[in-house]
Every structure is written in C-alpha cells, then in structure tokens.
Amino acid sequence: MKRIITYGTFDTFHWGHMELLRRAREMGDWLAVGLSTDEFNTIKGKRAYLPYKRRLEILQAIKYVDLVFAENDWGQKRDDIIKYNIDTLVMGDDWQGHFDTLADVCSVVYLTRTKDISSTLIKHTLEKQ
Ligand code: C2G
C-alpha cells in the first residue's frame, strides 16, 4: 500500500488542482491532503476566496482524495509523513527543491504545474464582475 501526501490551499478548486491530485493518487494507493487553514494562509501571505470549511468540503468530495487534514504551519510535514506512514510527498513544481530536506523520510516528487489556470486568475476574474 503506497501512501502519498500533498499540501495546499486549493482555493477556488480548479482543474490544475484536480490534475495534481489525480497524478499524485495514481502514484500510489492512498492520498492524504494537508489543507492550509485560513490562519496558515495568513502566514503564507495568501487570502483564500473560500474559507477552510468550504475548501475542506470540496476536497472531501474529490474521488482521488482519501483523507484531508489541517495544515497549520510550515514545519508539520515531517511529523505528518511519519504519522501517516507516507511513501511519497508530491507537490507542483513551483515548489521544486523546497521539500528535498524531507528525502530522508519519504521520496519527494514535483509534478509539472497545469498551465493557464490559477486561483489568482479566477479571483481576479470574479472581482472584475
Ligand atoms: N497546482 C498545479 N497547477 C496549477 C495550480 C496549482 O499543479 N495550475 C498545484 C500546486 O503546485 C500545489 C497544489 O496544486 O502543489 C495546490 O496549489 P495551491 O493551493 O496554490 O498550494 P500552495 O498555496 O502552493 O500551498 O506547504 C505547502 C503549501 O501549503 C502549498
């Protein structure tokens, strides 16, 4: 049973997020997602359009996702990987290299970001209306 983990805000859920989750899930048998809380987004300098509760409900409805838990800070990944007995951490390649320090507890894979879609683009389009 190959267990995969990934993290993110997943605001205004879109096919770029879906493609990341699909490819991550297809690398194994089980996928956990660390979902950034609203408080952690403040630390990340991000303001999500949707509150955590809504973003959680959306991710829980995605067939590629087996577990969603709160991501509260940058430093919890190592503990999460051990707690959930993770084989592979998967992130989009905008994070290329950022999590290589975790390579002693799991493999780390960066997948190509899906082009021409982002939560920022969606939010800007929404705000213009
Ligand atoms: N993503 C993607 N293609 C896009 C947009 C996003 O592949 N067009 C990927 C990102 O690379 C990331 C995941 O989808 O792996 C979630 O994206 P965000 O919600 O923007 O995540 P981020 O704010 O980068 O948070 O501790 C890690 C952070 O929580 C990651």
Side-chain angles (χ1 to χ4, degrees):
M1 169 102 154
K2 196 165 174 216
R3 300 161 72 88
I4 316 290
I5 200 166
T6 191
Y7 293 81
T9 299
F10 294 98
D11 193 23
T12 63
F13 193 82
H14 54 67
W15 73 86
H17 295 139
M18 192 176 71
E19 278 300 282
L20 187 285
L21 296 172
R22 179 184 62 75
R23 289 174 292 165
R25 176 64 179 72
E26 286 173 359
M27 291 175 67
D29 311 286
W30 186 86
L31 173 63
V33 180
L35 182 61
S36 307
T37 60
D38 297 330
E39 297 74 14
F40 181 45
N41 275 330
T42 305
I43 296 169
K44 285 164 65 175
K46 276 185 131 173
R47 197 173 54 74
Y49 183 76
L50 295 173
Y52 178 81
K53 182 176 179 302
R54 287 282 169 266
R55 294 184 283 114
L56 173 65
E57 287 168 358
I58 291 169
L59 280 188
Q60 287 173 328
I62 304 294
K63 69 179 181 181
Y64 304 120
V65 176
D66 296 289
L67 171 72
V68 189
F69 62 94
E71 179 186 31
N72 299 295
D73 59 67
W74 291 113
Q76 69 181 77
K77 292 186 178 67
R78 184 173 291 273
D79 291 345
D80 295 339
I81 287 163
I82 292 161
K83 174 180 175 182
Y84 294 115
N85 193 17
I86 297 297
D87 297 279
T88 306
L89 165 66
V90 175
M91 293 299 296
D93 61 5
D94 47 314
W95 290 95
Q96 185 73 41
H98 280 258
F99 304 116
D100 294 355
T101 51
L102 295 167
D104 60 318
V105 287
C106 70
S107 58
V108 181
V109 173
Y110 301 98
L111 299 174
T112 316
R113 264 178 81 92
T114 301
K115 302 228 175 316
D116 304 327
I117 185 68
S118 70
S119 298
T120 308
L121 174 68
I122 292 170
K123 279 190 283 186
H124 284 169
T125 309
L126 282 171
E127 280 151 12
K128 262 195 271 174
Q129 277 159 7

